[in-house]
Amino acid sequence: MKILTSIVTHNRCMLLERCIDHIARQTRASDGLIIINNASTDDTVAMLDTRGVAHIDQPNLGPAAGWNRAIAECIDGGYDAVWLMDDDGFPDSHALAALEAGLGPGVACVSSVVLRENQPTNFVFPFPLLNRAGLPVVVGRRRKLPTLAELNQVARDGTYPFAHLFNGALITRAAISAAGTVDTGFFIYGDEVDYFFRLRQVGKVHSVLAARHYHPDVTQRPLTPTKLYYFIKNTLVLNHRYFDKVPARGVMTLGIGLARYGARNGWRTLAALLMGQQHRLVPRAVVRGLRGQVGTDFDG
């Protein structure tokens, strides 16, 4: 199998270089490496040129545009699969080998589990418990699996039928041909969820517990009003497209978005957003999400 590794980056030169170093240490070497540079203004291009790493420089139209270009490079280059990841995480040295071993008949995509780099027993993105339809449960005594130990208890064969894409996701060329590429209309947020469900329509998608990807804890990063807007709007669109219990999930989406913004930015900042000059931001996100609008339409 011929595998292309592609990293999408924007202004994270030092973290990108760390990721490239870990790609070079894989026990199963990639057959190609290409960096999709979304208009970095730091030392990224100079670093890549010095190291002789191939890169494509393009306007910063959001992460989805980066994944879209990486997938195009896979197809145009005649690769059998593409291994996709963001710039701020890095794979364990055995990750690609474990993922390749997880590919088999009927499998569209296999993905790494994403662990906190400073607390590798815990996930950056907790795994949801799934109902019989394979959808995250809405109500239950326990809804999330936050640790690797807890996931091991339910993933008896070493895989789990859910994945957080684009942090070490290995996607086959056949699946791309059947499902298409990443929808760039999901600007900033939701492109990975949309693509997960589209891939699942053409084959199995699961996380491989033996494939580890390490990543900073994103729960401490402040949120911008723009990110809050797209989180709410795009999640509401996804709820309607792919999930059950849509009204309940919609209420949860709004609550989660506002709670995250308050916790990361401060509750006074949230109050100022809701009552100040940007007081229309959340209502607009809700209305447009319920209408199914995707695209870059943030207007404050």
Side-chain angles (χ1 to χ4, degrees):
M1 173 173 278
K2 186 179 176 184
I3 298 175
L4 173 68
T5 297
S6 189
I7 309 168
V8 174
T9 190
H10 174 69
N11 282 347
R12 287 177 175 152
C13 181
M14 292 181 64
L15 291 175
L16 172 62
E17 189 165 22
R18 179 182 70 169
C19 186
I20 291 170
D21 288 340
H22 282 83
I23 295 297
R25 297 170 189 158
Q26 293 298 301
T27 57
R28 194 289 191 199
S30 300
D31 300 290
L33 171 64
I34 186 79
I35 309 302
I36 310 300
N37 173 34
N38 281 348
S40 294
T41 56
D42 59 3
D43 296 327
T44 292
V45 172
M47 180 272 291
L48 294 173
D49 287 342
T50 298
R51 295 185 58 143
V53 178
H55 57 93
I56 293 173
D57 305 318
Q58 63 180 27
N60 185 17
L61 301 176
W67 310 126
N68 196 289
R69 185 62 181 269
I71 287 171
E73 291 298 310
C74 169
I75 299 300
D76 294 344
Y79 291 90
D80 301 303
V82 60
W83 192 27
L84 297 173
M85 64 194 73
D86 209 343
D87 52 8
D88 51 349
F90 61 92
D92 177 82
S93 61
H94 300 287
L96 184 54
L99 290 171
E100 185 178 25
L103 289 177
V107 178
C109 170
V110 286
S111 191
S112 300
V113 294
V114 189
L115 299 165
R116 297 181 186 180
E117 60 181 62
N118 294 325
Q119 191 182 12
T121 57
N122 287 54
F123 296 123
V124 174
F125 312 106
F127 280 84
L129 281 170
L130 305 175
N131 60 25
R132 292 182 179 179
L135 299 172
V137 298
V138 178
V139 179
R141 182 178 60 85
R142 187 173 62 157
R143 295 179 53 249
K144 299 283 188 179
L145 301 168
T147 68
L148 186 58
E150 289 172 281
L151 185 61
N152 268 312
Q153 291 178 356
V154 298
R156 299 295 184 182
D157 65 347
T159 67
Y160 192 69
F162 191 88
H164 299 287
L165 296 187
F166 307 146
N167 286 283
L170 182 63
I171 307 169
T172 68
R173 180 189 182 98
I176 293 166
S177 297
T181 191
V182 176
D183 187 346
T184 57
F186 283 96
F187 185 68
I188 294 182
Y189 186 86
D191 51 304
E192 73 285 1
V193 178
D194 175 69
Y195 204 49
F196 166 78
F197 281 102
R198 286 167 50 209
L199 287 170
R200 205 171 74 165
Q201 290 169 357
V202 303
K204 297 177 183 177
V205 180
H206 54 246
S207 294
V208 176
L209 276 65
R212 312 284 171 82
H213 199 82
Y214 301 97
H215 195 281
D217 180 8
V218 299
T219 61
Q220 305 304 313
R221 292 177 180 172
L223 293 176
T224 64
T226 305
K227 288 183 178 180
L228 175 64
Y229 172 84
Y230 285 112
F231 170 80
I232 293 173
K233 188 194 76 163
N234 291 351
T235 304
L236 292 175
V237 173
L238 293 166
N239 287 345
H240 182 74
R241 285 191 184 181
Y242 301 114
F243 292 90
D244 59 359
K245 298 180 175 61
V246 175
R249 292 187 190 274
V251 172
M252 289 175 61
T253 295
L254 185 59
I256 290 170
L258 295 177
R260 284 181 183 172
Y261 193 88
R264 297 189 193 184
N265 296 66
W267 299 103
R268 290 185 179 180
T269 304
L270 174 62
L273 176 74
L274 296 176
M275 296 183 290
Q277 291 183 345
Q278 292 182 301
H279 66 277
R280 293 194 179 108
L281 182 150
V282 172
R284 283 175 177 166
V286 171
V287 169
R288 292 169 183 173
L290 294 176
R291 288 176 179 170
Q293 291 181 220
V294 295
T296 53
D297 56 4
F298 177 74
D299 49 17

